[in-house]
Amino acid sequence: MALDFDFSSPVEAITLPLFAAHQVKVFVKRDDLIHPFISGNKWRKLKPILNLAEAENKKTLVTFGGAWSNHLLATACAGAKFGFQTHGFVRGESVQNPVLSLCRLYGMELHFVDRSAYRDKQRLFDAHFSLDDAVYIHEGGYGKLAASGCAEIIEELPQVYDHIFVASGTGTTAAGLASAVLAKQWPTQIHAVPVLKGGSFLKDDIRALAITPDDIVFHLEYHFGGYAKHNAELICFIRDFVRDTGMMIEPTYTGKAFYALTDLVKRGYFNAGTEILLIHTGGLTGFLGMYEQF
Ligand SMILES: *Cc1c(COP(=O)(O)O)cnc(C)c1O
């Protein structure tokens, strides 16, 4: 069993009248096209983890997430694809939703745990599994090894961009991008759009991945009230964007990052001639939880 999977994804230009008016060029790295359920950046993060698991002859993947977690689904699907058993600890009381159904369909065993038990993840792992044959994967795929997988996004780019924008949950993807850009000595500025409220905690998490947070510009004002929160303005933006471009985005991650970039363009943040890349991190199943809005 080799983890041979073509990770590369295309870069597409998006032409909207707003971008033309401000003379900026905007491109999207379509990591959403890598796989329908192994959501773009979750796959980037899992790849090095699964390669190591395979090298160490481990058979089981154990991870953690909320009931709508893209990471749980990506782990379930990748486990099925590459022959690992998968277990997911789900925060909160037992519920049923389309994402968890897909996790089960791919063979993941789900363990619902209350919020206080969920806090001590190491204890949950130790009670059921051993590192001899199981891999502990952090919630959201956070980690140094995972960040190294995200650096591959930079390797695939056809040109150097002035700015790169990404939605941030754990900050792992932004950290991987920043380290890759530094290693290549590109003049590119990495921008993170935290989707959680009070996203400055990300700076500590990113520092723990051995990346200096000063290498990343954080835009803390586009969380729309917090994780998975949204308002009519965001929904309206997403609807227009999808209709105008034919490219799907959703309200939890990519909608917020793409909104942030658009808002900054409107405010004249970029000089004429600037070339900007948005990372489409996937996660389109997030839409399944909010379909009533559309
Ligand atoms: C998980 C996720 C993110 C956040 O990535 P981090 O590396 O945790 O910052 C961004 N976009 C989508 C679609 C995701 O599913």
Side-chain angles (χ1 to χ4, degrees):
M1 180 186 73
L3 300 190
D4 56 344
F5 191 102
D6 183 8
F7 283 82
S8 57
S9 72
V11 172
E12 247 173 58
I14 38 177
T15 48
L16 291 174
L18 172 74
F19 300 154
H22 288 263
Q23 295 177 281
V24 295
K25 286 197 185 139
V26 179
F27 302 86
V28 181
K29 172 78 166 144
R30 297 293 307 272
D31 269 17
D32 57 315
L33 298 180
I34 290 176
H35 189 280
F37 296 121
I38 314 183
S39 160
N41 72 333
K42 299 302 184 290
W43 191 218
R44 301 274 181 190
K45 294 193 264 191
L46 282 170
K47 180 188 174 186
I49 296 172
L50 299 200
N51 270 325
L52 182 65
E54 200 205 16
E56 293 180 340
N57 211 12
K58 295 188 176 178
K59 303 279 182 249
T60 305
L61 310 176
V62 181
T63 195
F64 309 85
W68 288 97
S69 167
N70 293 327
H71 167 69
L72 281 183
L73 178 54
T75 306
C77 189
K81 192 167 177 60
F82 295 112
F84 295 95
Q85 309 254 342
T86 54
H87 289 262
F89 286 98
V90 187
R91 185 184 58 238
E93 67 282 4
S94 180
V95 289
Q96 185 66 282
N97 71 37
V99 169
L100 294 176
S101 295
L102 285 167
C103 287
R104 281 204 189 88
L105 179 63
Y106 280 113
M108 178 176 262
E109 204 169 307
L110 299 176
H111 310 267
F112 292 90
V113 289
D114 66 44
R115 276 154 207 276
S116 72
Y118 187 81
R119 248 169 252 136
D120 197 348
K121 298 179 184 59
Q122 190 64 52
R123 192 156 157 261
L124 290 171
F125 180 90
D126 292 341
H128 300 84
F129 303 99
S130 145
L131 282 177
D132 293 340
D133 75 333
V135 186
Y136 178 110
I137 305 177
H138 288 283
E139 183 178 36
Y142 172 80
K144 235 188 228 181
L145 193 54
S148 73
C150 298
E152 289 190 2
I153 297 171
I154 298 295
E155 295 300 327
E156 288 171 14
L157 297 180
Q159 64 164 91
V160 176
Y161 301 88
D162 301 306
H163 301 273
I164 296 181
F165 276 74
V166 69
S168 277
T170 67
T172 304
T173 307
L177 295 172
S179 73
V181 158
L182 269 178
K184 285 186 164 305
Q185 298 186 303
W186 281 7
T188 308
Q189 178 63 58
I190 302 294
H191 298 258
V193 180
V195 302
L196 291 94
K197 201 148 93 183
S200 53
F201 69 85
L202 266 184
K203 292 184 186 172
D204 293 331
D205 293 349
I206 286 174
R207 207 174 279 115
L209 299 173
I211 301 295
T212 322
D214 300 346
D215 293 331
I216 301 171
V217 174
F218 294 87
H219 299 277
L220 300 176
E221 51 292 311
Y222 296 103
H223 56 72
F224 289 88
Y227 184 71
K229 300 262 172 34
H230 57 267
N231 63 15
E233 196 183 342
L234 181 63
I235 297 300
C236 188
F237 166 77
I238 290 170
R239 188 184 290 129
D240 289 346
F241 182 90
V242 174
R243 285 176 190 182
D244 291 345
T245 64
M247 188 186 301
M248 174 96 168
I249 54 174
E250 45 66 51
T252 307
Y253 291 101
T254 47
K256 290 180 184 179
F258 286 29
Y259 180 100
L261 180 269
T262 306
D263 189 54
L264 291 166
V265 170
K266 271 187 203 153
R267 291 164 186 267
Y269 185 91
F270 304 102
N271 296 326
T274 303
E275 296 191 302
I276 306 153
L277 181 72
L278 288 158
I279 309 293
H280 195 314
T281 40
L284 297 174
T285 45
F287 178 80
L288 297 172
M290 299 189 190
Y291 67 92
E292 295 105 330
Q293 308 293 330
F294 292 89

